[in-house]
Amino acid sequence: MPKIKISATRIKSWFQYRCERKFIYSAIIPRNTEDSKQKVQHEYSFIEKKPKDQDRSWADAGNVFEDNLIVKQLNPTPQNACFERNTDPEEEGVFASVSLKRTEAFFTDPSQPSVKYLFQGSLSVVDDFWVHVLNLPLETLYNDFSFSVVHPDIIKREVTQEQGRPVITITVIDVKATGKAMLFHRAQVAFYTLLVEGLIRYWTRRGIIDKRKVLVRVSNVGSIWHMDDNANAVEDGTYLEDDFRLQAYQYMVKEFMTNELLEFPQKMVSEHRDTTNFHVYFKCEQCDYLPHCIKSIDLGLEKNMDISAISKMSG
């Protein structure tokens, strides 16, 4: 049985495809081994994948749109934003991820209220997220799961005063090179905000946030910034803001993480036995694991056909 490595992209993928197999295959880590791509590829080499798509124009457009939105529309300077320039020629994009320490300071230090934006900040999973936000026992986190540090596109803060005390209100924004915000985009933002709630609890418990001196809270609204109708939106970075109330999406993410997700590490994934549920339908055309699933429903393998081959017949 595998360990599962969770990332924001995989959370989004769940709400986009609702496919248990896709989630587990993409997140799988062999138990009792180092978390290395080589060992994952070796132990699960029987899982056939599509050849890597050489046409990455769709992904490149997304990166270019995000960079141009930030650079051309927000005009970042050290006086209005916290960011790191990308200096690695091997890495794509204008911006590199901001360290955990600088991210923490952006969330907790109100002394520079003019610094409104954080680009590619670093959010980690802390015990408080698992125990107090999800209300799950801590042993399940360390026994069954691993988490990637995640980097939201943009985090915006507003520093105000209430009863003589600074208040930092955090809004999470995701940039999408699409003409419309979808449910799964909002689920990804909701996941980020739940991580932030866990971090605020953690920083408070550690004394990094002193509630007598500063209050830090998450806005009840998230936002997707997506392309507008401008034909040159990718190059110009012109966008529309799609704001939405977070509560329903946070509930949806928490429901998944406290129910279906907990069952994933109990699934058997081996060359001879695979208990992951799956289905094959039109969305699978985009999936790396389509060749593997097609084998399970090939008409030449009638004796071994899986009931999961029938869409909506099983989980």
Side-chain angles (χ1 to χ4, degrees), residues 2-260:
K3 285 188 77 169
I4 300 297
K5 187 167 187 176
I6 300 171
S7 69
T9 299
R10 289 172 188 140
I11 295 292
K12 179 188 69 129
S13 174
W14 171 258
F15 289 101
Q16 183 173 4
Y17 298 103
R18 303 281 181 164
C19 181
E20 178 181 290
R21 172 170 285 184
K22 177 179 174 62
F23 190 103
I24 292 174
Y25 280 9
S26 69
I28 204 164
I29 303 172
R31 290 185 183 269
N32 303 317
T33 66
E34 295 177 10
D35 177 15
S36 69
K37 288 185 178 180
Q38 291 77 15
K39 290 187 176 180
V40 172
Q41 289 168 354
H42 173 72
E43 184 159 341
Y44 299 108
S45 59
F46 66 91
I47 300 174
E48 186 177 348
K49 297 178 69 174
K50 285 181 181 179
K52 285 201 171 181
D53 189 357
Q54 299 303 311
D55 180 13
R56 287 185 46 81
S57 57
W58 57 273
D60 293 340
N63 293 332
V64 170
F65 173 64
E66 179 183 334
D67 286 344
N68 286 335
L69 185 156
I70 293 172
V71 172
K72 296 181 179 180
Q73 302 299 323
L74 300 184
N75 302 309
T77 68
Q79 287 70 46
N80 65 18
C82 178
F83 58 89
E84 293 283 351
R85 292 280 182 182
N86 179 21
T87 58
D88 186 348
E90 300 297 318
E91 293 291 331
E92 298 177 348
V94 173
F95 299 98
S97 59
V98 174
S99 69
L100 289 165
K101 193 68 179 173
R102 290 191 69 200
T103 298
E104 176 189 300
F106 178 84
F107 277 92
T108 61
D109 182 2
S111 63
Q112 292 183 295
S114 64
V115 179
K116 293 178 57 178
Y117 295 106
L118 170 66
F119 306 132
Q120 298 295 323
S122 296
L123 305 181
S124 60
V125 169
V126 291
D127 294 354
D128 300 75
F129 165 72
W130 200 255
V131 174
H132 297 297
V133 177
L134 297 184
N135 295 311
L136 291 173
L138 197 56
E139 57 267 23
T140 59
L141 169 60
Y142 293 109
N143 291 342
D144 296 329
F145 297 99
S146 172
F147 277 83
S148 300
V149 174
V150 300
H151 308 285
D153 295 331
I154 303 173
I155 294 176
K156 182 180 178 180
R157 72 174 188 173
E158 183 181 8
V159 182
T160 56
Q161 293 283 329
E162 288 184 10
Q163 299 178 342
R165 178 178 56 170
V167 178
I168 301 174
T169 303
I170 300 295
T171 303
V172 177
I173 300 163
D174 211 29
V175 177
K176 297 297 182 185
T178 180
K180 181 180 180 182
M182 306 297 286
L183 177 147
F184 49 88
H185 297 145
R186 293 171 179 167
Q188 184 175 1
V189 170
F191 173 66
Y192 289 141
T193 62
L194 294 174
L195 290 184
V196 172
E197 288 183 3
L199 284 166
I200 291 172
R201 285 178 174 270
Y202 171 77
W203 290 325
T204 302
R205 179 166 58 85
R206 295 288 301 273
I208 296 166
I209 295 174
D210 184 345
K211 287 187 174 181
R212 295 168 300 179
K213 297 179 180 178
V214 61
L215 181 64
V216 184
R217 62 191 178 199
V218 180
S219 170
N220 60 7
V221 172
S223 191
I224 307 294
W225 290 5
H226 61 84
M227 294 187 299
D228 61 13
D229 294 334
N230 174 12
N232 297 315
V234 170
E235 294 302 323
D236 295 341
T238 51
Y239 67 98
L240 296 174
E241 298 182 16
D242 188 315
D243 298 335
F244 60 96
R245 292 198 171 273
L246 282 164
Q247 185 177 26
Y249 298 95
Q250 288 176 328
Y251 177 84
M252 188 171 68
V253 172
K254 290 166 76 171
E255 182 75 6
F256 164 64
M257 296 190 74
T258 56
N259 289 280
E260 291 99 334

